[in-house]
Each structure stands twice: as C-alpha cells, then as structure tokens.
Amino acid sequence: MRSHSCPGNSQSWDLSPPTKPASSRSKESEALPDVVVSHFLTDHSLKTVAMENDSSVIEFILIGLTNQPELQLPLFFLFLVNYVVTVVGNLSLMNLTVLNSHLHTPMYFFIFNLSFIDLCHSLVLTPKMLMSFMSEKNIISFAGCMTQLFFFCFFVHSECYVLTAMAYDRYVAICKPLLYTVAMSPQVCFLLMCGSYVMGFAGAIAHTANMVRLSFCDTNTINHYMCDIFPLLQLSCSNTYANELVDSIIVSTVVTLSSFIIFISYALILSNILHISSTGGLSKAFSTCGSHMITVALFYGSGLFTHLKTSSADSVDQGKFFSIFYTNVVPMLNPLIYSLRNKDVRFALKKTLKRFAN
C-alpha cells in the first residue's frame, strides 16, 4: 500500500482500509448463510400460508334456477307469488287450528306442525332463491351455506317423520276407533312430535358435520339455487366417498323407515275400508285419508326423482327442476289440500271470518 508523507515531516500515514483478524472474518462468513436461510424460510412460510388462505373457500356463488336473462323476471314474479301463497296459507291454517277449539284434535295437531315445517322450509330457501333472479352474483358465505344446508335437512327429515305420524294417526282412527282417545292421547302426540324433531335434528347434524369437514379449493360456484348435498359434494376437492356413504345410509334409513310405516298403515286402512258396509263410513274414511295420501305422494315422489337425477353429474338441471316440487310446490299445496278437502277447516274458516267481521 502507498503511504503519503507531508513535506517537511518525516511522519507518514497509512491510508489503506483496516483489516480484521482472520478469526473474525470466518465467524461472519459462517453467520451470514444462517441469516439468509432463516429469512428465506420465514418468507417462504408466509407465502405458503397466504397461498393456503387464498385457496380456502369462504363464500359460494349460487347460479340459481336458470342462466337465461329473459326468464329471470318472469320466474321472479312466479316464485314471489308462490312464496306469498305459501306463507299466507300455512300461517292461516296454523291460526285456524289455534283459534278453533273443535280443531284441537290429534289430526289437526299434526297438520299444525306440518304447516309450521312447510312455512319454515319456505323461509329458509325461497328468499335466497328470489335474490338469484335479481342479482348478477348471488353470493352466500360458507357459514351461511352450511346453515341453510342444516335447516334444509332438518325440515325435510322432520316432515318425513311427521307424515309418518299422521299415517299412524289415521290408522288408529279408522282401524281402532274405540282406542283412539287412549292411543293418541296428548302425551302420545307430543312424544311423536318431539321424536320427529329430534330425529330430524340428528339427521341434519350428521349431514352438516360431514360437509363441514370437506375442503373446497377448486371452485366456489354451485350449480343450484340452494346449498344442497350433491352439488356441494361435486365441488369438494376432498375424497367424498365417506360422505356419500353416510349420506346414502341416512337418507335410505329415513325413507325406508317412514315409507314402510306409511305403507303398512294404509294397507291396514284399505283392508279395514273394504269391510265397511255403509256408504257413509266408506266416504268418510276416504275423505279422511285422501288429503294425506296426496301430500305423501307429492313429497316422496318429487324427493325420489330429485335424488335419482342429482346423483348423476349430467342431470343437474333436471334435478333442480324436480327439487322445486318439494321445496316450493308442496309447501304451497299442503294448506290448500287440507283446507279445500276438509269440511272442518272450511267451517273453521267461515266461523273465524264472521268473528272478525263482527
């Protein structure tokens, strides 16, 4: 290194940069890679977490009933009328049952609960369906979707058991009339209804818990107007074999058990009707069971077609069409079926209207 000396002075200064000891340099060179590696791993971990957060679905987009723009407005008004008729009809039937003492019987107790389930079923599904006709993106949060799925399963399962209890009630009324007041006491009716709601709750919990544990990472667009089991399973990027097995077992158990009891009840009712000699008794038996048989046929028939169609990925649109029957049409028709075909309900309606008029 060069050294500079001032004139007239023999002293010189060394301007070269200071050198560190070899041991210090080796320690820094060893520490530097550790810092760089630590920083790289931390940055990589943050990026990984961010990617995981980006891939997790926090909301779904419901496509709705149709994508055709020209049908959106007509369908909106059609289902709005359906919604209003459903709410007004079921509320009216519930109020008639409460306000008229001659309707305080086991049969109308079950009809009251059936109307309550249909009303709640409509309140859970139809408002979100109407939004799909008026908005470009019908968004529902993950928690909202799971909540809708839970209540949908709860009310569907409960309605199955209520219809089963109603079939048993008709069997006792026609085949065991002398034991009717004992066999269908208020305590028995209350236990039947509690059992219906408890089993409906258990089924809904099982369906929802199975759905919550799945991962949704590829897409969040549901090709349906509601959060149903099969459309959600088609979106999941997890293995859905266990879910499909559990769901099939639950649905098969509910449908088989309730259908078997209903079938046996009406087989015994039919056998008893054939032995009725009087025309009046025969007509009364048919009028008593006719409304319930129509409701059972509509509810189970549409549910069966929906399940068969939505199990195939190529028939989602047809599945949506058939699901409308038991989510929108049946809840609207039930009050009309039980009021128009029932003399007691028509008499209660006239009596109530006169009471409010006076």
Side-chain angles (χ1 to χ4, degrees):
M1 291 291 179
R2 293 179 303 171
S3 60
H4 296 267
S5 57
C6 294
N9 193 350
S10 60
Q11 188 178 0
S12 62
W13 290 273
D14 188 2
L15 300 181
S16 61
T19 58
K20 293 185 179 180
S23 59
S24 177
R25 287 199 305 269
S26 63
K27 288 181 181 179
E28 285 188 5
S29 62
E30 291 176 0
L32 183 60
D34 292 340
V35 173
V36 173
V37 171
S38 176
H39 176 72
F40 174 77
L41 290 176
T42 303
D43 185 61
H44 180 70
S45 300
L46 290 174
K47 288 181 179 179
T48 304
V49 172
M51 288 176 63
E52 290 177 355
N53 289 339
D54 290 341
S55 64
S56 59
V57 173
I58 60 174
E59 63 184 20
F60 293 102
I61 299 174
L62 297 171
I63 289 182
L65 195 60
T66 180
N67 285 327
Q68 301 180 26
E70 65 274 10
L71 295 179
Q72 300 295 329
L73 194 59
L75 287 175
F76 171 79
F77 286 108
L78 176 64
F79 284 99
L80 180 62
V81 172
N82 166 268
Y83 182 58
V84 172
V85 173
T86 301
V87 172
V88 173
N90 284 287
L91 280 177
S92 300
L93 190 56
M94 292 168 63
N95 288 326
L96 287 176
T97 306
V98 172
L99 296 176
N100 293 272
S101 58
H102 72 279
L103 298 182
H104 294 174
T105 62
M107 184 178 76
Y108 292 103
F109 173 73
F110 293 125
I111 291 176
F112 175 89
N113 282 276
L114 183 65
S115 294
F116 172 74
I117 291 172
D118 287 337
L119 174 64
C120 295
H121 197 171
S122 181
L123 292 175
V124 168
L125 299 178
T126 310
K128 200 65 181 172
M129 181 183 184
L130 292 174
M131 289 179 61
S132 66
F133 297 124
M134 302 304 294
S135 58
E136 293 184 3
K137 276 190 177 182
N138 189 14
I139 298 175
I140 184 171
S141 66
F142 182 86
C145 186
M146 294 301 108
T147 303
Q148 188 187 65
L149 175 66
F150 169 80
F151 283 108
F152 167 68
C153 295
F154 172 65
F155 291 124
V156 168
H157 286 206
S158 298
E159 184 156 349
C160 287
Y161 294 120
V162 171
L163 291 174
T164 305
M166 293 174 71
Y168 174 72
D169 171 72
R170 292 301 85 206
Y171 157 73
V172 177
I174 294 174
C175 300
K176 308 287 183 182
L178 298 179
L179 299 175
Y180 184 72
T181 54
V182 177
M184 299 304 295
S185 63
Q187 293 79 11
V188 173
C189 294
F190 180 77
L191 289 176
L192 286 173
M193 283 311 311
C194 285
S196 299
Y197 288 123
V198 167
M199 289 189 289
F201 179 82
I205 283 289
H207 284 302
T208 310
N210 276 336
M211 195 63 65
V212 168
R213 73 177 188 84
L214 295 179
S215 298
F216 299 91
C217 50
D218 293 333
T219 181
N220 66 337
T221 303
I222 303 176
N223 189 14
H224 214 287
Y225 59 86
M226 65 177 179
C227 292
D228 201 358
I229 295 173
F230 292 105
L232 285 170
L233 289 179
Q234 292 174 358
L235 289 184
S236 176
C237 53
S238 304
N239 186 356
T240 60
Y241 174 77
N243 287 70
E244 292 175 3
L245 181 62
V246 171
D247 292 336
S248 298
I249 291 173
I250 295 173
V251 172
S252 300
T253 302
V254 173
V255 173
T256 303
L257 179 63
S258 58
S259 299
F260 177 75
I261 296 175
I262 292 173
F263 176 79
I264 294 298
S265 298
Y266 277 106
L268 295 173
I269 289 173
L270 181 62
S271 175
N272 187 273
I273 287 176
L274 294 177
H275 292 86
I276 297 177
S277 57
S278 63
T279 306
L282 188 64
S283 175
K284 184 179 180 180
F286 273 115
S287 64
T288 304
C289 299
S291 300
H292 184 255
M293 292 175 66
I294 294 173
T295 301
V296 169
L298 287 172
F299 183 77
Y300 280 91
S302 58
L304 178 62
F305 277 107
T306 301
H307 179 74
L308 292 177
K309 293 296 181 181
T310 54
S311 61
S312 173
D314 299 329
S315 305
V316 177
D317 292 334
Q318 294 182 17
K320 287 193 289 185
F321 172 76
F322 283 106
S323 67
I324 289 173
F325 281 92
Y326 72 91
T327 59
N328 298 86
V329 177
V330 173
M332 179 188 70
L333 291 180
N334 279 346
L336 301 177
I337 292 172
Y338 285 105
S339 60
L340 297 178
R341 292 179 54 86
N342 197 304
K343 293 181 180 179
D344 293 332
V345 175
R346 292 201 301 267
F347 175 75
L349 179 60
K350 293 178 182 179
K351 183 179 177 181
T352 305
L353 291 176
K354 288 181 179 178
R355 187 186 307 170
F356 281 108
N358 296 330

